Amino acid sequence: MESKKSPIIIQLSPQDILNLRRRFEKLSEITSFNQDIDFSAKIASYGIFREVGTVNDELARFIFDADTGLPVPRTSLVANLITWNNLSGVCITSSKTQRLELRTPAFYDVVHPTLSANADGTLHSLYIFPEIIQHITAQHGVNLVLVKSWGLNSMFGGFDPKKEYYQTNFWELENNDSLKFADLIRRGQLTLMGTHDLIAHVAGVQKEAWLPLKQKADDVYKTITEYFKTCQKPSISALVLPYTIGVILDDLAQPPTYNSKGHIAVIDALLKKLKHLAIKPQDPLILTEFPKSFQKIIEMSRTKGIENKTQDIEFAVHTMAQQILEKSFVINKSG
Amino acid sequence: MSKTKKSTWATSTIQLALIGAPVAASMTAQAQTFAPQNHTSDLKQQHGAHLASLKSIESSWLEVPVSCKAKGFNADPKKRSIRPTLSQIAKNAYQSYGV
């Protein structure tokens, strides 16, 4: 039997990163991993690599020290790009310990079991290979994709490791990203371009949950499309409700909250509000304050049993729409 | 790498005439003075309005917890160690790549 070679660490020079970016820029807006699995794996690995150990690292809080039973310090996590057996990937280690354990079950599915493990079952490293992960998700009927605009805004653009993710959240609001996200989900697609994608959506993906999820995403996509059909560039005021829907749909597309009745009930109430055109997207509005009840709506969707309180949901949604209108001013175009 | 969105936000060039009270649904019929023929100008004004809105809402936006915004993962780590197990599909996948 051929002996297995050890993974090799790849050091990217600034020119290498530039070349990666240039090639990425030439992609279509949506690229399936299957179209170019090697390049897609490199991009996915790079996206994870950029985030590990930073404030935007969503894996960190699930990586524990097996000896202390505590999470390893996020800042102790180090990522390296690697290649192994013609696979591109990323390897995560901690400077604090070589006995790691993962505190969410599905995480183990996306970490190479033999490369990563110590003899006692703890992990010395986390070896992650997007190509293998694509193979796993495909068995569940879900295909991994790259989204060019998202990548250009994050790993190749607007991402700043020192800043909280709110920076790109603003981008998602103003670019109506809920629509794109809903479109991906209804087509059975997920991005894999960073730690959020990996831990929140890809790890633990379940075929059975995706049929109703796709149907709900289709509903969201069609409603938002219809809402904006006469409007090329809607106001921020008009974008808040769709953004809210997108946040909740993102939750719904996460394995721990698959099929959540609460999330579905709140999405439905928000879609109903859109259909009623409470906020007309073509109105030239400037929003002066983000609605205070946004947080309440999100928290409601995450509350067990909320689906039995439809009046409360509808009142909260109505309140948010009113707050948006009250804090919006019409532009009077002069000259 | 681009810097924060703040640095790219141009000062709004829209001449704002805040017409009386904030908009209520009944007021949206007022003061529509767009010239439909000047499409490019409309888009520019709309873009300026976008920037003005984002600048205006920034402080209230920052008050919203990160957990309520997009790209959050709302599960919590398990309180105790869990047995490392792979799903059968994952096992098959790794084996197919020569584990």
Side-chain angles (χ1 to χ4, degrees):
Chain A
M1 182 189 257
E2 185 183 341
S3 61
K4 291 195 169 49
K5 295 179 184 173
S6 296
I8 299 168
I9 292 176
I10 305 295
Q11 304 266 11
L12 293 184
S13 67
Q15 187 60 48
D16 291 332
I17 295 169
L18 185 59
N19 291 341
L20 202 66
R21 182 198 165 110
R22 282 182 177 153
R23 189 169 165 193
F24 186 78
E25 284 172 343
K26 290 180 182 162
L27 295 177
S28 305
E29 174 61 4
I30 310 288
T31 299
S32 170
F33 269 43
N34 287 330
Q35 289 174 249
D36 189 340
I37 187 60
D38 182 58
F39 182 68
S40 299
K42 285 182 165 64
I43 292 294
S45 301
Y46 183 66
I48 295 167
F49 162 79
R50 286 290 311 273
E51 293 180 358
V52 165
T54 73
V55 293
N56 296 296
D57 182 350
E58 288 216 25
L59 306 179
R61 60 196 180 95
F62 297 97
I63 303 174
F64 277 58
D65 184 328
D67 294 317
T68 65
L70 297 171
V72 296
R74 174 171 48 78
T75 50
S76 76
L77 293 170
V78 173
N80 281 295
L81 294 170
I82 53 158
T83 183
W84 178 73
N85 281 7
N86 292 320
L87 293 171
S88 296
V90 57
C91 174
I92 300 170
T93 54
S94 170
S95 60
K96 289 292 184 191
T97 178
Q98 292 198 358
R99 296 186 73 244
L100 303 169
E101 58 180 23
L102 307 178
R103 288 283 182 98
T104 183
F107 202 162
Y108 283 102
D109 267 15
V110 297
V111 171
H112 196 287
T114 51
L115 279 182
S116 309
N118 293 314
D120 63 0
T122 59
L123 307 178
H124 53 74
S125 316
L126 277 59
Y127 282 90
I128 296 167
F129 295 103
E131 179 171 336
I132 303 179
I133 293 170
Q134 150 68 7
H135 191 102
I136 294 169
T137 64
Q139 299 302 304
H140 288 279
V142 175
N143 292 312
L144 298 182
V145 298
L146 304 175
V147 178
K148 183 165 77 171
S149 55
W150 291 357
L152 291 177
N153 185 63
S154 58
M155 69 178 92
F156 289 124
F159 177 86
D160 182 338
K162 296 182 195 61
K163 293 194 187 302
E164 290 282 355
Y165 197 77
Y166 81 84
Q167 291 284 326
T168 52
N169 270 238
F170 236 8
W171 189 84
E172 286 161 358
L173 168 64
E174 64 175 312
N175 288 282
N176 195 20
D177 254 16
S178 300
L179 187 65
K180 188 165 290 179
F181 182 71
D183 195 23
L184 291 177
I185 299 293
R186 76 189 186 121
R187 294 172 191 277
Q189 296 172 332
L190 279 175
T191 57
L192 179 54
M193 297 199 299
T195 56
H196 170 80
D197 298 336
L198 182 66
I199 194 68
H201 295 293
V202 171
V205 69
Q206 287 290 334
K207 183 178 185 173
E208 296 74 21
W210 269 72
L211 181 55
L213 177 62
K214 287 198 279 189
Q215 287 169 345
K216 184 51 62 185
D218 188 61
D219 196 14
V220 168
Y221 178 82
K222 285 175 175 162
T223 304
I224 295 179
T225 301
E226 177 69 19
Y227 179 60
F228 288 128
K229 68 178 178 186
T230 59
C231 187
Q232 200 171 349
K233 195 165 178 72
S235 65
I236 295 293
S237 302
L239 286 166
V240 174
L241 285 178
Y243 172 78
T244 310
I245 293 167
V247 172
I248 303 172
L249 183 63
D250 190 286
D251 271 15
L252 195 62
Q254 298 177 14
T257 34
Y258 277 160
N259 299 314
S260 160
K261 293 191 172 91
H263 285 77
I264 291 168
V266 178
I267 286 176
D268 287 345
L270 288 161
L271 292 177
K272 189 172 156 189
K273 187 56 80 175
L274 280 190
K275 288 173 186 171
H276 288 166
L277 294 175
I279 300 162
K280 295 179 178 52
Q282 67 273 24
D283 285 349
L285 302 174
I286 289 181
L287 184 64
T288 61
E289 187 177 289
F290 197 72
K292 289 180 170 31
S293 53
F294 168 82
Q295 181 178 344
K296 179 170 181 175
I297 299 261
I298 300 301
E299 288 170 352
M300 277 182 120
S301 71
R302 295 169 180 169
T303 303
K304 272 195 165 36
I306 196 64
E307 65 275 12
N308 300 317
K309 298 182 179 177
T310 49
Q311 281 190 325
D312 290 357
I313 296 172
E314 288 185 3
F315 180 73
V317 168
H318 174 76
T319 301
M320 187 162 89
Q322 282 303 113
Q323 286 176 353
I324 294 169
L325 288 169
E326 285 163 10
K327 294 296 182 182
S328 294
F329 290 82
V330 177
I331 303 164
N332 183 19
K333 182 179 170 180
S334 55
Chain B
M1 188 192 313
S2 64
K3 296 295 181 187
T4 80
K5 281 289 184 185
K6 289 183 196 177
S7 63
T8 64
W9 291 347
T11 304
S12 172
T13 58
I14 288 182
Q15 296 299 312
L16 288 183
L18 302 180
I19 333 169
V23 169
S26 59
M27 292 176 71
T28 55
Q30 289 187 18
Q32 290 288 338
T33 58
F34 284 105
Q37 304 86 336
N38 197 349
H39 187 60
T40 303
S41 172
D42 286 349
L43 283 178
K44 277 186 185 170
Q45 288 236 342
Q46 285 161 359
H47 180 66
H50 251 223
L51 297 179
S53 290
L54 294 175
K55 192 73 182 165
S56 297
I57 68 173
E58 188 181 10
S59 58
S60 50
W61 170 264
L62 290 177
E63 286 173 13
V64 178
V66 172
S67 61
C68 290
K69 292 174 179 163
K71 298 284 190 183
F73 182 38
N74 301 300
D76 290 319
K78 298 291 180 194
K79 289 187 170 42
R80 297 198 178 158
S81 296
I82 55 178
R83 203 166 144 228
T85 50
L86 266 70
S87 66
Q88 193 58 50
I89 286 178
K91 278 184 198 165
N92 294 344
Y94 287 107
Q95 277 170 3
S96 74
Y97 280 84
V99 169

